[in-house]
Amino acid sequence: AQSVTQLDSHVSVSEGTPVLLRCNYSSSYSPSLFWYVQHPNKGLQLLLKYTSAATLVKGINGFEAEFKKSETSFHLTKPSAHMSDAAEYFCVVNNFGNEKLTFGTGTRLTIIP
Amino acid sequence: NAGVTQTPKFRVLKTGQSMTLLCAQDMNHEYMYWYRQDPGMGLRLIHYSVGEGTTAKGEVPDGYNVSRLKKQNFLLGLESAAPSQTSVYFCASRRMGQPQHFGDGTRLSIL
């Protein structure tokens, strides 16, 4: 079985300050984990992925995430928020060999000028 | 290279009407998916396909049918539209172990 929990439905940060979006997962096997971003009225765009290589994964637009097996977490971070980061972010888990991916319910990120 | 293309982008239907949403991908992906996205509920899987000629139910399949006659196309049908099917529909495709690639969505309103 696989599941994912995004711990915050809404996060607000000031421009130029760090971003932390939290994700915990449950998986019976070594999972693949992904973060997607969705801007208003757009489809989902892949930010980064973890597939059992390096535990610190770098993505696009300065985002990165760290896979911590002991904590079953895959939190998304960015050192300095930009106005263009305002969007909804989805954490996704997939067990190897499972055709279906499981999505979190999303975290809406608001950037305060 | 267009990726995943959804047709149409917007549609308004009356209750009881039928329609088909088309998803086309040009990446030769094996897996294709249809999701619906509703406020506060994230993405919910309607149906999916692991290859040409195969389909399977997701978590919210009722009221929808799908077909995958060609590897590159995945069709989602509503036989008798209901207001509860008002939503944004997303198609996605991928290879095993790889991330999904998403289309830009279809906004469907049922009056």
Side-chain angles (χ1 to χ4, degrees):
Chain A
Q2 60 189 33
S3 66
V4 61
T5 302
Q6 291 185 242
L7 299 168
D8 306 291
S9 59
H10 192 194
V11 170
S12 294
V13 301
S14 296
E15 188 176 17
T17 65
V19 175
L20 170 64
L21 306 183
R22 298 182 295 166
C23 172
N24 286 114
Y25 70 92
S26 173
S27 174
S28 302
Y29 306 99
S30 296
S32 294
L33 292 157
F34 313 93
W35 276 99
Y36 283 85
V37 60
Q38 184 182 30
H39 291 277
N41 300 315
K42 296 290 186 182
L44 280 71
Q45 179 187 15
L46 180 68
L47 272 180
L48 50 81
K49 63 178 180 179
Y50 165 78
T51 54
S52 76
T55 56
L56 183 61
V57 181
K58 293 187 183 298
I60 62 172
N61 301 334
F63 284 94
E64 61 181 37
E66 186 172 8
F67 174 73
K68 291 187 176 180
K69 187 175 181 179
S70 61
E71 300 177 8
T72 61
S73 69
F74 190 58
H75 301 334
L76 182 70
T77 61
K78 182 173 181 177
S80 177
H82 190 272
M83 293 301 295
S84 62
D85 295 328
E88 185 130 21
Y89 292 79
F90 293 93
C91 183
V92 183
V93 64
N94 177 226
N95 286 338
F96 179 78
N98 189 341
E99 303 90 352
K100 294 184 285 185
L101 282 68
T102 301
F103 285 75
T105 52
T107 298
R108 182 166 300 278
L109 177 63
T110 299
I111 311 299
I112 303 165
Chain B
N1 189 343
V4 179
T5 303
Q6 292 185 232
T7 309
K9 297 187 185 304
F10 305 94
R11 187 72 184 269
V12 178
L13 290 178
K14 294 181 179 179
T15 298
Q17 286 185 317
S18 63
M19 79 161 296
T20 299
L21 280 64
L22 171 63
C23 177
Q25 54 96 0
D26 60 3
M27 297 171 283
N28 202 34
H29 287 169
E30 297 87 1
Y31 299 158
M32 296 188 74
Y33 305 80
W34 275 108
Y35 295 91
R36 60 178 290 172
Q37 185 178 33
D38 301 292
M41 303 189 74
L43 272 72
R44 292 183 292 169
L45 182 64
I46 305 171
H47 287 281
Y48 66 101
S49 168
V50 301
E52 181 179 326
T54 72
T55 62
K57 294 181 180 180
E59 56 180 311
V60 288
D62 294 342
Y64 304 95
N65 57 76
V66 289
S67 65
R68 183 115 182 254
L69 299 179
K70 295 182 179 180
K71 186 176 184 178
Q72 64 267 34
N73 295 336
F74 195 30
L75 279 63
L76 177 70
L78 287 71
E79 290 186 347
S80 179
S84 61
Q85 294 177 305
T86 293
S87 188
V88 182
Y89 292 85
F90 286 99
C91 177
S93 70
R94 73 180 184 114
R95 289 193 177 90
M96 180 183 285
Q98 296 301 311
Q100 291 185 335
H101 296 253
F102 284 84
D104 287 338
T106 295
R107 292 185 176 275
L108 184 60
S109 293
I110 315 295
L111 304 178

